[in-house]
C-alpha cells in the first residue's frame, strides 16, 4: 500500500506518446526534419511539373542512410553516441542527395 512514487527525470522532460510511452527528443526532432524534407521535395517536384511522388525519395534515403550509417559504424566497432552520430551523418547525406536528385528532375513543358 505504501508504494513510493519516484519521478523519472527522463519522463518529465520527454513528451509522452501512445499509451504513456516516453520517446526521446531526438526521435521527435528527427520526425519533424523528415516531414520538412517531404514538404520541400513535394514543392520542388511540383514546381518542375513532375509527380509529387518524388517526395517519397526523401524518407527512403534518410532512413536508408541512417541504417547504412549504423552498419558502417558497426563495421568499425563504434558503439553508442559515435554510432548514432555516424548514422545521423549518413541520414543527412541522404537528405542532401534526395534534394539534389529532385532538383535535377527534367522540367515538363505543358503541351
Amino acid at each position: 500500500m505504501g508504494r513510493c512514487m519516484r519521478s523519472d527525470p527522463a519522463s518529465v522532460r520527454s513528451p509522452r506518446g501512445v499509451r504513456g510511452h516516453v520517446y526521446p527528443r531526438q526521435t521527435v526532432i528527427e520526425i519533424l526534419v523528415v516531414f520538412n524534407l517531404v514538404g520541400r521535395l513535394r514543392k520542388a517536384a511540383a514546381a518542375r511539373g513532375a509527380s509529387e511522388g518524388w517526395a517519397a525519395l526523401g524518407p527512403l534515403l534518410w532512413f536508408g542512410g541512417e541504417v547504412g550509417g549504423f552498419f558502417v559504424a558497426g563495421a568499425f566497432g563504434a558503439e553508442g553516441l559515435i554510432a548514432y552520430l555516424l548514422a545521423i551523418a549518413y541520414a543527412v547525406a541522404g537528405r542532401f542527395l534526395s534534394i539534389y536528385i529532385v532538383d535535377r528532375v527534367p522540367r515538363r513543358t505543358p503541351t
Side-chain angles (χ1 to χ4, degrees):
M1 288 213 173
R3 270 175 56 183
C4 179
M5 298 293 288
R6 293 190 308 171
S7 66
D8 183 16
S11 67
V12 173
R13 290 185 300 242
S14 298
R16 292 214 172 260
V18 178
R19 296 186 189 148
H21 294 287
V22 177
Y23 298 112
R25 287 184 191 267
Q26 295 86 359
T27 304
V28 175
I29 292 171
E30 189 173 347
I31 290 170
L32 293 175
V33 168
V34 171
F35 276 125
N36 183 356
L37 174 62
V38 168
R40 179 178 178 165
L41 293 176
R42 181 179 293 138
K43 287 178 188 175
R48 300 186 77 74
S51 167
E52 292 181 358
W54 282 96
L57 190 64
L60 288 174
L61 289 178
W62 176 276
F63 292 117
E66 197 167 16
V67 169
F70 273 119
F71 279 128
V72 169
F76 287 112
E79 295 178 353
L81 181 63
I82 301 298
Y84 179 71
L85 291 176
L86 189 61
I88 292 297
Y90 272 63
V92 169
R95 177 186 192 273
F96 287 120
L97 181 62
S98 66
I99 292 170
Y100 178 81
I101 291 171
V102 171
D103 284 344
R104 296 323 181 260
V105 170
R107 287 192 181 273
R108 283 193 186 170
T109 56
T111 56

